[in-house]
Amino acid sequence: MNFDISEEQELLQETLKQYVENECPPTRIRELFDSGEGWDPTFWKGLVEMGVAGLVVPEEHGGAGLELLDLALAAESLAYGGAPGPFFGHSLACLAISLGGSDAQKAKWLPGLATGEALGSVALGEAGGAWQPEQWEVSGDGSVSGSKICVPHAGRADVIVVGVAGPGLVLVERVASGVEVQPFEGVDRVRPLDTVVFEGAACEALPEGAAAAPRLRDAGLVLLAADAFGSATRLVDMCVEYAKNREQFGVTIGHFQALKHQLSSMALEIEPSRGLYWYAAHAFDHILDESERSAAIAKAHITDRAMQISRDAVEAHGGIGFTWECDVQLWFKRAMFDRAFLGQPSVHRERSAQLAGW
Amino acid sequence: MDLSYGKEYDEFRAQVRSFLEENWPPQGGASRDDGGRQFRQAAIERGYLYRNIPKRYGGSEQEADSIAAQIIREEFGAKHAPMEIRAIGMMMLVPTLLERAEEWQKEKFVRPTVMGEITWCQGYSEPGSGSDLASLQTRGVLEGDEWVINGQKIWTTSAMEADWMFCLVRTEPDVPKHAGISYLLIPMKQPGIEVRPLKQMNGTAEFNEVFFTDARTPADHIVGQRGEGWLVSRTTLKHERNSIAAAAQAAATFQGLVQFARDTKRGGRPVIEDPLVREQLAILEGYVCAHEYSGLRQFTKDAKGESPGIISMMNKLHSTNIGSMVAKASLEIMGEDGLMDPVQTGLAKLGVIPSGSQAWLNQYMYSLGIAVAGGTANIQRNVIGERGLGLPRDHYANRSSGK
Ligand SMILES: Cc1cc2nc3c(=O)[nH]c(=O)nc-3n(C[C@H](O)[C@H](O)[C@H](O)COP(=O)(O)OP(=O)(O)OC[C@H]3O[C@@H](n4cnc5c(N)ncnc54)[C@H](O)[C@@H]3O)c2cc1C
């Protein structure tokens, strides 16, 4: 019995945290926020060199061949640092092809995705809250037609894994004709989203796409939970730091018990949920019959906690907390992304209730 | 991450199973009590119970092995076989004695406590000293070869039945408050002690007031030195800390709540079909699972001899918060049954998962007692904030109350 991460996994987390802290401190995140770029090629290149782009790509295709838990731990660390860029969508594209692709598709795409030469993304959502595979209406028999919303970094992606009715998942190259990318004014400016309109765009179905689609959704839920965990812990740390420095009434504000208790409650809300996303990630690869439900529980619980903590964090900073200047907003918005993407908590609570046979 | 116990424990688990096969339930018409006693003795001889208590005091003196301990709990639990006695003397006093007491004190008290032959109550809280425990005023004065004790304790659970009290008394009135306290062992059945039961809001009376009027205990019935009582009272169990069991209890209670929602009908339909109830249960399940995995994580850290960090300071508040949410959800499920008086079930039955509205009503109230006992939510928040997050210490906490 070992409900803990390994030394290598701790090292992975530490290394990534350090990297983001050094290469993309809040001042830099803010520049990206303000420029609307949401993309820092040098920063992403560094991640790629560390092997982050191919963490879950099988070794025979040039990746590290790791598991969802490793990917989720990376997501937590990147979120803690507030890292910009396409890690989320790219990682899901790698997973989709690994899970559902033919040998030829894997050989064609995975090596490039693992080395970062190619960028991948996933188009899952459809208007009206249709995030779940069984709700997808965009057609993908032979060619793709219809609109997909909230596609991460679609404008830069080389290949997009598109969720469709029927075959489940298909591959579309962004440069194919009949693919139109319309930028979407997203709240989290370091993880920009686009709407992608397909009109008879050429596609290639993943042979195991129908089975891989819900798995891909579950992996997405776990990564969002991990991201929200990283964001929420960062916000708690920021508030504690602020409370140790900001003075009012002649003492640092951390002396005031009301505030101390607010900060304790925030920590109490998030810290115990670490194991939720660990377990869901572990289950994805090792306890298949609990994978779907544990992913739903982790996403619903942690992204909800992160939302409340992000609101509390603004209050704990006073007036400055409400400003564009204050770093709180960077993680506040990250938490909003994590909560809404792939469906808000209530959606996954109802799913987990059904899966439990309630 | 590896959630199996590993091959090397398969053999051990098989041994525990075959032991249970042979010994539980008791054969040949032994009463459950007698059978229980004999069974415990056999289990001690096999090294399954009281593992961290030396043989000479009645334990089985095993090397600390959290996984073995957990396997024993699982297997015994599955068969409803008796485990260690979960009385306060066993849980709080025995570890303290093992860590701090003199040899003769261990010999005199540990074995009978372990065997359930003597029972204890905890005399800490006083009318004027609850959260601010160190301000306690009950006086102990050494007269010849006896301590003479005057004052009052309150909220003393099981004081009526207990043979002995482990008690904090002020023996050094002229030093700062934490330094003037001693840890005494006091026989309860004596003329100088009067116990008056206090009826709780749920209707039962398990806690009491205890009045001392020239109560006495031998001079050597002190654990640690004079003035060391505060430190002594902070001693806790060092090994095989049972971080899984508490979380498993929360999970079991939650499953009981889900069952309650399935069994309860509204308009002819099971309440669990109500979208609001489903949502509430699902929200709760997030906390319950988080609690369970936190338990597993701490268990792993303990087994590796590493510190689990801030999470270990959160267990009580996280679990009582869950208890409170469960309690409120049960009221939502039961509807008009919420107008009923609770079934009067005492603390001893709390480990049992409630079934039926009246039992849930008892839990609805008792969850509050649990939240207050042993340190209120605010005190827990102070601990998390100060020791966990490193925020400034509350300046009141160290202030001498002048008492
Ligand atoms: C069911 C039950 C069983 C018990 N069994 C025993 C037993 O066997 N033996 C024993 O000795 N005691 C026992 N107790 C007593 C228990 O430990 C105390 O009730 C508890 O420590 C709180 O003390 P108090 O009741 O004096 O409340 P108070 O300390 O007066 O607290 C009242 C309120 O003030 C708040 N407060 C106090 N200080 C602070 C602070 N510094 N910061 C913020 N808020 C503060 C508290 O959080 C609480 O909300 C039991 C209690 C219960 C409910």
Side-chain angles (χ1 to χ4, degrees):
Chain A
M1 159 64 74
N2 178 15
F3 196 97
D4 202 358
I5 56 176
S6 66
E7 272 171 32
E8 297 83 70
Q9 288 168 325
E10 272 172 17
L11 186 66
L12 169 73
Q13 286 210 294
E14 220 24 69
T15 311
L16 286 177
K17 255 187 200 166
Q18 274 305 323
Y19 176 71
V20 191
E21 198 179 308
N22 297 338
E23 303 306 317
C24 197
T27 43
R28 177 72 187 125
I29 303 174
R30 183 171 298 288
E31 279 170 22
L32 296 169
F33 233 70
D34 289 338
S35 71
E37 280 289 280
W39 167 261
D40 179 337
T42 325
F43 178 76
W44 175 243
K45 192 157 168 281
L47 284 179
V48 164
E49 280 161 11
M50 294 160 79
V52 169
L55 280 183
V56 288
V57 171
E59 276 167 314
E60 69 259 36
H61 296 298
L66 297 177
E67 299 185 344
L68 186 62
L69 179 56
D70 304 283
L71 197 61
L73 292 168
E76 181 202 329
S77 292
L78 292 172
Y80 186 89
F87 169 80
F88 175 66
H90 179 82
S91 299
L92 286 181
C94 292
L95 253 181
I97 297 171
S98 305
L99 288 169
S102 66
D103 289 344
Q105 287 165 337
K106 289 179 192 170
K108 177 173 178 198
W109 288 107
L110 291 179
L113 291 169
T115 57
E117 277 157 53
L119 190 66
S121 186
V122 287
L124 304 174
E126 294 177 17
W131 289 99
Q132 313 310 317
E134 63 276 10
Q135 298 172 310
W136 293 338
E137 286 178 359
V138 166
S139 66
D141 267 333
S143 66
V144 184
S145 290
S147 284
K148 287 296 216 182
I149 61 162
C150 300
V151 183
H153 285 94
R156 297 178 191 280
D158 299 292
V159 60
I160 304 177
V161 178
V162 186
V164 294
L169 298 173
V170 299
L171 295 175
V172 176
E173 294 189 42
R174 189 190 34 94
V175 292
S177 68
V179 178
E180 192 199 337
V181 176
Q182 303 171 346
F184 169 82
E185 295 278 315
V187 68
D188 181 1
R189 298 191 181 200
V190 294
R191 290 182 295 174
L193 300 170
D194 301 292
T195 299
V196 183
V197 181
F198 301 93
E199 271 184 34
C203 71
E204 215 181 276
L206 300 184
E208 302 297 328
R215 298 274 290 151
L216 184 63
R217 182 260 330 271
D218 294 344
L221 295 177
V222 173
L223 293 184
L224 292 164
D227 195 284
F229 185 86
S231 302
T233 44
R234 176 60 177 258
L235 285 163
V236 172
D237 288 354
M238 279 169 65
C239 291
V240 169
E241 209 35 49
Y242 193 66
K244 288 176 182 169
N245 290 301
R246 164 79 174 165
E247 288 187 16
Q248 285 292 280
F249 300 95
V251 293
T252 57
I253 57 174
H255 281 85
F256 304 124
Q257 199 189 42
L259 183 65
K260 187 191 297 180
H261 283 193
Q262 282 171 338
L263 300 179
S264 302
S265 298
M266 288 161 69
L268 179 70
E269 280 287 287
I270 195 64
E271 176 60 28
S273 67
R274 186 189 298 270
L276 269 185
Y277 96 73
W278 284 8
Y279 183 81
H282 177 74
F284 184 86
D285 288 301
H286 298 282
I287 315 173
L288 290 193
D289 55 347
E290 289 189 35
S291 168
E292 190 171 355
R293 205 166 107 79
S294 60
I297 294 174
K299 149 86 181 183
H301 187 79
I302 300 179
T303 64
D304 228 8
R305 305 279 80 69
M307 175 186 77
Q308 186 59 49
I309 286 166
S310 69
R311 297 186 68 82
D312 296 342
V314 172
E315 286 196 54
H317 278 74
I320 190 87
F322 186 58
T323 63
W324 190 264
E325 290 304 311
C326 179
D327 291 340
V328 168
Q329 66 130 336
L330 305 175
W331 282 273
F332 183 99
K333 290 171 180 174
R334 218 173 163 108
M336 289 176 73
F337 181 111
D338 293 335
R339 188 177 193 279
F341 202 96
L342 285 179
Q344 67 275 22
S346 62
V347 169
H348 297 289
R349 293 198 175 111
E350 179 50 34
R351 287 185 54 243
S352 83
Q354 279 175 24
L355 287 166
W358 293 358
Chain B
M1 276 276 241
D2 174 7
L3 302 187
S4 73
Y5 290 129
K7 281 258 179 298
E8 65 273 29
Y9 284 99
D10 290 352
E11 170 70 2
F12 180 74
R13 190 185 288 276
Q15 285 166 10
V16 177
R17 275 198 189 151
S18 77
F19 167 80
L20 287 167
E21 211 64 59
E22 281 160 33
N23 292 282
W24 191 257
Q27 314 283 320
S31 78
R32 229 179 147 77
D33 268 7
D34 279 352
R37 204 168 304 133
Q38 285 162 16
F39 172 83
R40 275 206 182 90
Q41 200 51 55
I44 291 169
E45 277 156 27
R46 287 291 289 267
Y48 295 157
L49 295 182
Y50 302 112
R51 293 166 48 81
N52 46 21
I53 294 174
K55 288 205 169 110
R56 61 186 183 283
Y57 311 129
S60 63
E61 198 170 340
Q62 300 293 303
E63 241 176 77
D65 182 341
S66 302
I67 294 178
Q70 175 59 17
I71 288 172
I72 293 165
R73 276 192 293 271
E74 287 176 9
E75 295 298 326
F76 277 48
K79 281 256 192 160
H80 303 287
M83 298 273 312
E84 281 106 1
I85 289 167
R86 284 176 55 83
I88 191 152
M90 185 54 223
M91 299 201 301
M92 294 198 63
L93 175 72
V94 166
T96 308
L97 291 179
L98 290 177
E99 199 76 28
R100 302 272 183 172
E102 287 173 34
E103 189 50 38
W104 75 266
Q105 293 173 322
K106 295 185 201 172
E107 273 163 23
K108 178 173 162 94
F109 291 115
V110 176
R111 179 189 293 271
T113 304
V114 165
M115 294 300 147
E117 286 154 15
I118 56 174
T119 59
W120 293 83
C121 61
Q122 176 197 39
Y124 287 8
S125 306
E126 296 182 6
S129 306
S131 300
D132 181 14
L133 183 58
S135 70
L136 58 91
Q137 298 180 70
T138 293
R139 282 295 313 272
V141 178
L142 199 54
E143 286 183 9
D145 53 4
E146 281 185 327
W147 290 103
V148 177
I149 301 130
N150 282 284
Q152 186 197 341
K153 295 291 172 181
I154 194 167
W155 321 127
T156 322
T157 305
S158 304
M160 262 321 198
E161 306 80 49
D163 305 304
W164 288 83
M165 171 186 276
F166 54 99
C167 185
L168 294 178
V169 298
R170 186 160 302 282
T171 54
E172 327 299 310
D174 304 323
V175 296
K177 63 181 183 180
H178 292 87
I181 297 169
S182 297
Y183 191 103
L184 300 186
L185 308 176
I186 305 171
M188 289 297 287
K189 313 290 185 218
Q190 58 166 306
I193 292 187
E194 187 196 344
V195 180
R196 291 186 205 150
L198 288 163
K199 193 168 178 179
Q200 299 140 203
M201 66 183 298
N202 67 322
T204 57
E206 292 132 286
F207 57 28
N208 304 270
E209 292 177 291
V210 180
F211 297 89
F212 304 88
T213 315
D214 291 335
R216 278 155 203 278
T217 199
D220 57 4
H221 280 41
I222 178 172
V223 182
Q225 301 298 309
R226 289 177 69 141
E228 281 185 357
W230 185 257
L231 268 176
V232 172
S233 73
R234 306 284 108 177
T235 315
T236 49
L237 197 58
K238 289 261 157 60
H239 31 92
E240 290 187 4
R241 232 168 3 125
N242 186 354
S243 48
I244 294 185
Q249 176 66 29
T253 307
F254 173 73
Q255 288 309 328
L257 187 70
V258 171
Q259 194 55 47
F260 186 44
R262 286 184 196 277
D263 295 343
T264 309
K265 301 269 178 356
R266 200 176 293 155
R269 305 294 312 162
V271 173
I272 199 155
E273 291 177 5
D274 177 335
L276 284 179
V277 169
R278 293 166 81 77
E279 167 100 14
Q280 262 187 18
L281 288 175
I283 289 173
L284 245 168
E285 190 174 27
Y287 284 102
V288 170
C289 292
H291 198 54
E292 212 177 341
Y293 303 142
S294 289
L296 289 178
R297 187 153 63 91
Q298 290 172 70
F299 171 84
T300 303
K301 291 283 188 201
D302 279 345
K304 288 199 264 189
E306 293 171 13
S307 158
I310 190 171
I311 188 75
S312 62
M313 298 164 205
M314 296 177 162
N315 290 326
K316 191 199 173 206
L317 191 50
H318 203 243
S319 103
T320 56
N321 281 351
I322 291 172
S324 168
M325 287 187 271
V326 166
K328 289 181 281 185
S330 77
L331 233 58
E332 185 62 34
I333 291 165
M334 72 178 72
E336 74 273 19
D337 278 3
L339 291 160
M340 288 194 292
D341 206 26
V343 64
Q344 296 180 353
T345 322
L347 198 58
K349 291 268 170 63
L350 269 187
V352 180
I353 294 150
S355 142
S357 293
Q358 283 180 299
W360 280 106
L361 282 163
N362 187 61
Q363 133 85 18
Y364 177 74
M365 295 182 198
Y366 230 122
S367 50
L368 287 164
I370 302 292
V372 171
T376 66
N378 280 346
I379 296 303
Q380 304 301 320
R381 289 185 196 104
N382 275 355
V383 170
I384 296 168
E386 293 169 7
R387 285 187 234 155
L389 301 176
L391 292 167
R393 294 294 295 262
D394 194 334
H395 65 281
Y396 296 108
N398 293 311
R399 183 190 278 176
S400 214
S401 55
K403 285 171 186 167

